[in-house]
Amino acid sequence: MLSSQSFVHISFFQPPAFLLMGIPGMEAVHGWISIPFSSMYTVALTGNGLILLAVRRTPSLHQPMYYFLSMLALTDVGLTLSTMPTTLAVLWFDHRLIGFNACLVQMFFLHSFSVVESSVLLAMSFDRVVAISNPLRYAAVLTNNVIIRIGLAIVARATLSLFPVPFLLKRLNFCPNKTLLACADITINILYGLYVVLSTGGIDSLLIVLSYTLILHTVMGLASPRERIRALNTCVSHILAVFAFFIPGITMSMIHRFGRHLPHMVHALVAYVYLVVPPVLNPIIYSVKSKPIREAMLRVLRGGGQS
């Protein structure tokens, strides 16, 4: 990255639009690549939409665990809609330009939903800790008011964390080539980005690990092996959802920091996996591993009544 001192004779420049690259090196087969992407977006929107309808229409699912699952599904819908229009526009129509302000708005919502998803997964781990460690007080601790406050705190946390980002980008002098490349000192942006990552996903992942340490300590104290297995089975879906979100995220961060020598295609594919795969996998995981959710989703598909 060139420093701002190299451009002291160039006036401040912000392009009216940026050029979206799609998947570099695979432009000739973008049409074919659009087929799996379209399928994944369809699965993500349909699956998460079904979860939301299933929980809403099934009184027996009006419990804290399923309310948090609804938050996760709603977040996945938002994350999907944040990337779907521009991704499919590039793959279907080769429409590669995105306005400067539109790019900033998309970036804000994309990263905000990522922070929300991390926070919801943390809240779900707290739910499991209370349910397993103190089941008699589960309903008293996680009341509807508490769940609403947790949801509002999650949204506020994501909004406040990402709110400065568009303004930090708007102050930069960009290179006059329609790519998202700043010809200026971006030290503040890098430091703030690192702060956001550590204060959200970093802390959340550590607290999730701590939560499962407490869960394992409680489960190992149960007398019956059957009770241990039953308690752990209630956590399987959440553990898989955590892996589906954090493993691609960690992989993307590692490649971004240490894999600059890798082809641009690898960076693009890993980024797409991080953004597209979790919203696709989460409804599949919960529909397969959770019998109440699976049955409620099937009733929605059949147009059945409440249960």
Side-chain angles (χ1 to χ4, degrees), residues 192-238:
Y192 187 75
L194 183 61
Y195 160 75
V196 171
V197 170
L198 293 178
S199 65
T200 56
I203 290 178
D204 292 350
S205 58
L206 290 176
L207 291 177
I208 289 172
V209 171
L210 176 61
S211 297
Y212 275 98
T213 301
L214 296 174
I215 288 173
L216 285 174
H217 181 266
T218 301
V219 169
M220 290 300 103
L222 298 176
S224 168
R226 180 176 295 181
E227 290 180 359
R228 296 176 186 175
I229 294 174
R230 186 171 59 185
L232 289 176
N233 277 340
T234 64
C235 302
V236 172
S237 297
H238 177 254

Side-chain angles (χ1 to χ4, degrees), residues 180-201:
L180 192 55
L181 186 64
C183 298
D185 185 358
I186 59 172
T187 302
I188 294 177
N189 296 60
I190 292 175
L191 292 176
Y192 187 75
L194 183 61
Y195 160 75
V196 171
V197 170
L198 293 178
S199 65
T200 56

Side-chain angles (χ1 to χ4, degrees), residues 76-281:
D76 283 336
V77 170
L79 188 59
T80 300
L81 293 178
S82 295
T83 62
M84 184 177 69
T86 49
T87 300
L88 295 184
V90 171
L91 297 178
W92 281 352
F93 309 112
D94 199 34
H95 182 76
R96 300 192 177 195
L97 290 180
I98 181 172
F100 181 83
N101 290 325
C103 180
L104 296 184
V105 170
Q106 184 186 46
M107 186 180 299
F108 171 79
F109 279 106
L110 190 156
H111 290 295
S112 293
F113 281 118
S114 294
V115 172
V116 168
E117 179 132 354
S118 174
S119 303
V120 171
L121 289 171
L122 173 60
M124 295 173 81
S125 70
F126 173 69
D127 167 83
R128 291 298 83 207
V129 169
V130 176
I132 293 174
S133 301
N134 199 351
L136 296 180
R137 288 187 50 79
Y138 178 60
V141 172
L142 290 174
T143 63
N144 288 346
N145 284 336
V146 169
I147 294 171
I148 291 172
R149 289 175 185 174
I150 291 174
L152 292 175
I154 287 172
V155 173
R157 179 199 194 196
T159 303
L160 293 175
S161 296
L162 275 302
F163 184 75
V165 172
F167 299 99
L168 288 173
L169 290 171
K170 282 185 74 71
R171 72 181 182 86
L172 294 177
N173 182 28
F174 286 85
C175 301
N177 55 6
K178 289 188 178 179
T179 59
L180 192 55
L181 186 64
C183 298
D185 185 358
I186 59 172
T187 302
I188 294 177
N189 296 60
I190 292 175
L191 292 176
Y192 187 75
L194 183 61
Y195 160 75
V196 171
V197 170
L198 293 178
S199 65
T200 56
I203 290 178
D204 292 350
S205 58
L206 290 176
L207 291 177
I208 289 172
V209 171
L210 176 61
S211 297
Y212 275 98
T213 301
L214 296 174
I215 288 173
L216 285 174
H217 181 266
T218 301
V219 169
M220 290 300 103
L222 298 176
S224 168
R226 180 176 295 181
E227 290 180 359
R228 296 176 186 175
I229 294 174
R230 186 171 59 185
L232 289 176
N233 277 340
T234 64
C235 302
V236 172
S237 297
H238 177 254
I239 292 172
L240 294 175
V242 168
F243 286 158
F245 178 76
F246 281 103
I247 289 178
I250 293 172
T251 302
M252 185 181 67
S253 297
M254 295 295 288
I255 288 179
H256 180 71
R257 301 297 177 190
F258 306 109
R260 298 184 184 276
H261 62 284
L262 295 174
H264 293 302
M265 179 178 67
V266 175
H267 289 263
L269 289 174
V270 172
Y272 279 124
V273 168
Y274 169 66
L275 295 172
V276 177
V277 169
V280 173
L281 288 183

